[in-house]
Amino acid sequence: MTPQKHIAHSVCPHDCPSACALDVEVVDNTTIGRLKGAKDNTYTAGVICAKVARYAERIHHPDRLLYPLKRVGTKGSNQFTRISWDDALDEIGSRFNAIEAEHGATGIWPYNYAGTMGLVMRDGLKRLTHTKKYSRQYDTICTNMAWSGYVAGTGKLGGADPREMAKSDCVVIWGTNAVATQVNVMTHAIRAKKERGAKLVVVDIYQNDTMKQADMPLLIRPGSDGALACAVMHVLFRDGLADRAYMNKYTDDPAGLGMHLQTRTPQWASAITGLSIAEIEAFAHLVGTTKRSFFRLGYGFSRSRNGAVNMHAALCIPAVTGAWGFEGGGAFHSNSGVFTWDRSLIEGHDARDTSIRALDQSQIGRVLTGDRQALQNGGAIHAMLIQNTNPMSVAPEQTLVRQGFERDDLFTVVHEQFMTETAKMADIVLPATMFLEHDDIYSGGGHQHAQIGPKIIEPAGECWSNHEVVSAIAARVGAKHQAFDMSAREIADWTLQHSGYGTFETLVEKRWLDIQPPFEESHFLNGFGFENKKFHFKADWVSVPTKNNGLMGDVATMPDFPDHWDTTENADVKHPFRLATSPARSFLNSTFNETPGSIKKEGEPTVMLHPDDAASLDINEDDIIRIGNQRGDLRIKTRIFAGVQRGVVIAEGLFPNEAHLDGRGINTLTGADQVAPYGGAAFHDNHVWIVKV
Ligand SMILES: Nc1nc2c(c(=O)[nH]1)N[C@H]1C(S)=C(S)[C@@H](COP(=O)(O)OP(=O)(O)OC[C@H]3O[C@@H](n4cnc5c(=O)[nH]c(N)nc54)[C@H](O)[C@@H]3O)O[C@H]1N2
Ligand SMILES: Nc1nc2c(c(=O)[nH]1)N[C@H]1C(S)=C(S)[C@@H](COP(=O)(O)OP(=O)(O)OC[C@H]3O[C@@H](n4cnc5c(=O)[nH]c(N)nc54)[C@H](O)[C@@H]3O)O[C@H]1N2
Ligand code: SF4
Ligand SMILES: [Mo]
């Protein structure tokens, strides 16, 4: 029976800190209309981004995958034939079993990320990995530098209630293009501006849509945030704006920090950041005289080889001013450490064996091309099972990634919603449900709601959910775990109950739970997350309580006090420019680069180049240039753009590789070397050469 047109409730499942609470117009049991942000959710506050508001064009897209497919042409030729689910699963089972028999279970590498943030659908693949003792995955592509930098200071991944931004007198948006990447930050920041006359400061490396709204735009050079933070704190100490009483009570070594900062003058930082001394002093005086200063620290500025140090350095500022003591003051990066999710059933922790290698997700190119170090001296990978991620587009060192996926002896299964560039490289492609077609539970790093998204409409075609696929493959490869025999709803219910968040039914009724800890705890007024309860100006990089698969990168030379750690991929004679690959507003990583609305908004790939740099190379608007470095090169169109410092170029993305003139996308230029201290990919830290073609 077709239900009446009505409004149902869900959560945006995409990899975005906002995890918006949604009101979904349901037309019938297979069709939706417009999506809106839930007005009564205090974080979403009725606002969602344009790309999700028009979700009907994604879920009802004519190119959605609807049936299992088997490759018939050569790898990557995009020639497939339709097969039945039974045939697809039988083939996967027999190939996986044969590979396990010949090469051992670690020859198989299940690979996933956060295409859906629903806990059951995102992470259930890990349960298959653990029960079968397949090679594990060490997640590195997104959060590592940011989280380790933040937790090195606070000891815990949490912070002031993000809604408090509306009660701030100065909101500092640092290294996040919130207008594009998490629009709800702006809702609360603009409220402070309108209702309290709060000042908006934006620290970024190009004049993006967020910086355009700033009262104080601070346009710095890539990777120079540590220098800026140090000079700001130098001025605070120098001009009597450091809160001695706060520091004595709540921080580890204010005297040591003060000594250390003596040489980190605005003049010193001006040369590194490219800001004027006056700009640095003005910023320092603003936050030094505004107790309710809220530091909203993003991911973008951590995607550099010195990103963890820079995150920690910026975070030190509110600990010097004592802003943490005030409502509307302090810092926030992510609430991911605040939720009490019990993930053990979903991920199969009882079967987890940490002696089995965990391969670096970002190094997929190296892993698949047999790099010994990336394989941790173990055997090659012979099969992959991929869900929720599109590494052929999003992973660094694309030249290697492509070579890897082209291997004839690699058996690749991709479970997807669209024929992505990764799916095109597969032997078997399986069609996946979208969030409105399955049950799941959610929490966003950018706020404090545990949420639920029950199944609202029937799956398109023969689409199966991630959980159904994982369970069906488990049956074929002899993996035993109670959760393979449960429904997604049962797993969600168990998880909610064991996390202290009620039941599936009660959460459907309530729609969300506000789990923000009390003010004193969020502001660390009962002490910070370390044993000594202090904020750590002196970072102990070797023992940050965060994601950890062993130390990585050049940890030995990491400064303990905040500093400019000169370890970025600097410009040199051969590579005079610095490239950042910042996210575009209408794409979400590589998602939405298939929807007509987003394609229309973003147009074609371009690189933004400063007018003086363009003139020096005799390059004009719309000229085609070649851009490259030691990892590869590609051709791309130029946009002349004055909103960067000289020597800095920006390529907003992610466009499909195919949208580029040579079929090579921007991640041809990005590196997969492991960033200190716990890994991660430095997507915005690339030196490049540019020539006109
Ligand atoms: N529209 C859209 N939304 C998204 C995404 C998307 O691709 N598109 N991706 C989603 C995901 S997975 C994530 S993790 C988040 C990330 O969202 P953000 O936290 O916003 O991080 P980024 O977008 O990587 O970068 C933010 C800004 O940092 C700038 N930046 C780069 N290097 C530096 C630097 O050295 N110093 C400073 N101060 N700034 C620098 C970039 O130019 C960019 O303007 O967004 C999510 N939301
Ligand atoms: N150049 C450059 N590269 C970057 C970045 C950058 O800033 N610059 N940012 C990096 C960051 S922060 C991140 S997090 C990564 C993200 O990279 P990815 O995790 O690969 O993110 P997406 O490109 O959004 O791809 C997610 C895929 O999951 C699929 N999907 C969604 N829901 C489901 C589901 O329920 N089931 C299945 N089976 N599939 C589903 C979608 O169709 C989509 O193809 O990209 C990184 N790459
Ligand atoms: S802002 Fe982020 S969470 Fe909200 S609807 Fe858009 S993509 Fe989804
Ligand atoms: Mo991310």
Side-chain angles (χ1 to χ4, degrees):
M1 199 184 72
T2 306
Q4 290 287 307
K5 203 164 165 174
H6 65 285
I7 300 297
H9 305 302
S10 190
V11 186
C12 175
H14 290 287
D15 189 1
C16 170
S18 285
C20 292
L22 301 176
D23 292 339
V24 182
E25 187 191 355
V26 181
V27 178
D28 60 40
N29 65 359
T30 56
T31 319
I32 61 156
R34 193 89 187 148
L35 269 62
K36 290 192 175 141
K39 281 209 176 74
D40 44 349
N41 180 290
T42 48
Y43 188 74
T44 303
V47 179
I48 58 170
C49 64
K51 56 191 178 302
V52 170
R54 45 170 197 259
Y55 211 81
E57 70 170 31
R58 186 164 193 271
I59 201 164
H60 303 313
H61 197 296
D63 297 341
R64 245 191 100 174
L65 293 172
L66 298 176
Y67 310 103
L69 300 169
K70 182 183 160 87
R71 175 171 69 88
V72 287
T74 53
K75 290 242 175 181
S77 65
N78 199 15
Q79 289 171 280
F80 292 94
T81 185
R82 183 176 166 183
I83 55 172
S84 70
W85 269 102
D86 269 343
D87 288 350
L89 291 165
D90 286 347
E91 172 147 0
I92 295 166
S94 64
R95 290 294 295 268
F96 277 22
N97 289 333
I99 288 166
E100 183 180 348
E102 190 178 345
H103 303 284
T106 56
I108 297 165
W109 192 26
Y111 189 90
N112 70 341
Y113 205 56
T116 172
M117 291 283 281
L119 270 65
V120 177
M121 300 301 170
R122 184 185 63 195
D123 299 324
L125 186 63
K126 298 204 186 308
R127 183 180 345 108
L128 180 66
T129 302
H130 296 325
T131 47
K132 283 299 297 178
K133 316 258 181 263
Y134 292 151
S135 280
R136 298 185 296 139
Q137 169 180 313
Y138 180 46
D139 295 349
T140 54
I141 210 158
C142 181
T143 62
N144 297 38
M145 290 89 85
W147 287 10
S148 53
Y150 190 94
V151 176
T154 58
K156 184 176 176 185
L157 192 58
D161 186 332
R163 292 165 297 192
E164 278 180 40
M165 266 183 293
K167 296 174 182 163
S168 172
D169 294 325
C170 170
V171 180
V172 182
I173 297 187
W174 196 316
T176 170
N177 184 6
V179 167
T181 62
Q182 39 176 337
V183 61
N184 311 75
V185 166
M186 299 312 288
T187 305
H188 301 279
I190 297 298
R191 196 173 280 167
K193 201 167 147 162
K194 284 209 178 123
E195 290 173 9
R196 312 172 54 90
K199 291 278 177 284
L200 183 61
V201 183
V202 172
V203 185
D204 210 289
I205 59 168
Y206 77 116
Q207 199 192 36
N208 56 29
D209 287 346
T210 308
M211 190 178 275
K212 283 183 194 141
Q213 303 209 23
D215 301 294
M216 186 183 277
L218 296 170
L219 184 69
I220 64 171
R221 289 199 187 112
S224 68
D225 304 81
L228 172 60
C230 284
V232 165
M233 292 187 282
H234 170 99
V235 173
L236 295 172
F237 274 88
R238 185 195 70 193
D239 296 352
L241 297 168
D243 187 333
R244 304 273 171 189
Y246 177 85
M247 286 192 293
N248 288 337
K249 186 162 175 202
Y250 287 108
T251 70
D252 59 341
D253 188 4
L257 178 68
M259 288 282 291
H260 163 78
L261 290 171
Q262 278 178 5
T263 53
R264 272 66 176 179
T265 61
Q267 204 168 1
W268 165 83
S270 167
I272 298 167
T273 58
L275 293 174
S276 69
I277 293 171
E279 284 174 302
I280 297 171
E281 301 244 357
F283 178 32
H285 285 141
L286 176 63
V287 297
T289 56
T290 313
K291 278 293 183 195
R292 293 172 194 268
S293 288
F294 194 107
F295 287 74
R296 183 61 178 79
L297 306 170
Y299 285 100
F301 78 113
S302 77
R303 305 202 193 291
S304 282
R305 288 172 180 77
N306 60 1
V309 168
N310 289 348
M311 170 62 82
H312 173 252
L315 177 69
C316 286
I317 300 174
V320 170
T321 64
W324 280 111
F326 298 82
E327 194 182 24
F332 181 82
H333 167 63
S334 166
N335 251 346
S336 296
V338 168
F339 292 93
T340 52
W341 291 118
D342 180 339
R343 302 166 191 274
S344 59
L345 184 69
I346 292 173
E347 298 181 9
H349 288 176
D350 49 348
R352 185 168 54 184
D353 179 350
T354 52
S355 73
I356 290 172
R357 65 180 174 179
L359 301 173
D360 185 339
Q361 171 193 27
S362 300
Q363 294 196 327
I364 179 170
R366 300 186 190 191
V367 166
L368 293 183
T369 52
D371 182 293
R372 286 203 65 76
Q373 214 172 357
L375 285 166
Q376 301 173 12
N377 295 314
I381 293 303
H382 298 274
M384 293 193 77
L385 169 56
I386 299 174
Q387 287 185 325
N388 309 330
T389 182
N390 184 14
M392 272 293 290
S393 173
V394 306
E397 297 182 351
Q398 272 300 308
T399 309
L400 296 178
V401 178
R402 177 178 294 280
Q403 272 173 32
F405 277 114
E406 278 172 350
R407 274 175 43 201
D408 273 329
D409 62 335
L410 180 73
F411 177 67
T412 306
V413 181
V414 176
H415 184 205
E416 249 302 344
Q417 297 164 338
F418 285 95
M419 187 54 82
T420 59
E421 298 192 287
T422 308
K424 282 184 188 152
M425 303 305 290
D427 296 280
I428 302 275
V429 177
L430 303 172
T433 46
M434 289 191 186
F435 71 112
L436 299 172
E437 302 165 341
H438 58 237
D439 293 315
D440 215 334
I441 45 179
Y442 303 83
S443 60
H447 56 86
Q448 62 288 298
H449 292 106
Q451 303 179 79
I452 195 150
K455 177 178 161 187
I456 290 174
I457 58 171
E458 292 306 315
E462 292 183 6
C463 290
W464 284 22
S465 73
N466 290 6
H467 175 63
E468 290 168 315
V469 166
V470 165
S471 301
I473 294 176
R476 303 279 197 298
V477 296
K480 297 263 179 290
H481 195 283
Q482 67 180 105
F484 294 133
D485 302 320
M486 295 165 75
S487 68
R489 184 175 286 232
E490 286 165 347
I491 297 174
D493 184 65
W494 185 101
T495 301
L496 287 168
Q497 292 198 40
H498 285 74
S499 308
Y501 298 153
T503 65
F504 197 93
E505 238 170 72
T506 56
L507 198 51
V508 167
E509 204 171 299
K510 290 185 177 152
R511 299 178 60 190
W512 51 73
L513 289 178
D514 182 345
I515 60 98
Q516 184 68 37
F519 178 82
E520 280 73 23
E521 201 181 319
S522 303
H523 285 250
F524 300 108
L525 300 180
N526 307 322
F528 284 86
F530 297 105
E531 220 164 86
N532 66 3
K533 303 266 181 207
K534 305 282 192 187
F535 180 89
H536 285 193
F537 287 132
K538 250 181 129 161
D540 181 11
W541 294 113
V542 301
S543 59
V544 183
T546 183
K547 237 195 262 182
N548 186 339
N549 193 34
L551 293 171
M552 293 172 178
D554 188 12
V555 185
T557 67
M558 290 182 89
D560 48 8
F561 279 125
D563 213 339
H564 173 59
W565 188 32
D566 188 10
T567 185
T568 46
E569 192 172 84
N570 291 333
D572 57 26
V573 181
K574 253 177 105 177
H575 312 88
F577 295 95
R578 298 258 300 138
L579 164 75
T581 61
S582 313
R585 183 169 184 170
S586 305
F587 299 150
L588 201 150
N589 306 316
S590 72
T591 305
F592 295 98
N593 70 19
E594 71 284 330
T595 53
S598 290
I599 292 168
K600 196 163 147 218
K601 283 234 157 57
E602 295 299 336
E604 61 188 325
T606 58
V607 153
M608 301 182 216
L609 187 63
H610 190 277
D612 296 344
D613 288 328
S616 77
L617 294 169
D618 191 28
I619 292 169
N620 296 306
E621 179 89 359
D622 288 340
D623 278 355
I624 308 289
I625 57 165
R626 187 172 291 283
I627 179 167
N629 59 23
Q630 68 275 24
R631 293 178 283 267
D633 64 72
L634 56 109
R635 284 182 304 150
I636 193 166
K637 216 179 226 187
T638 313
R639 246 183 78 200
I640 310 292
F641 179 65
V644 281
Q645 291 205 18
R646 280 204 69 175
V648 178
V649 295
I650 309 283
E652 286 186 347
L654 282 161
F655 287 86
N657 300 320
E658 291 158 3
H660 293 77
L661 297 166
D662 307 301
R664 293 198 292 277
I666 205 71
N667 277 321
T668 307
L669 305 175
T670 57
D673 42 306
Q674 297 172 319
V675 173
Y678 299 109
F683 284 109
H684 302 332
D685 180 5
N686 315 283
H687 64 197
V688 287
W689 48 256
I690 289 174
V691 292
K692 191 174 168 175
V693 288

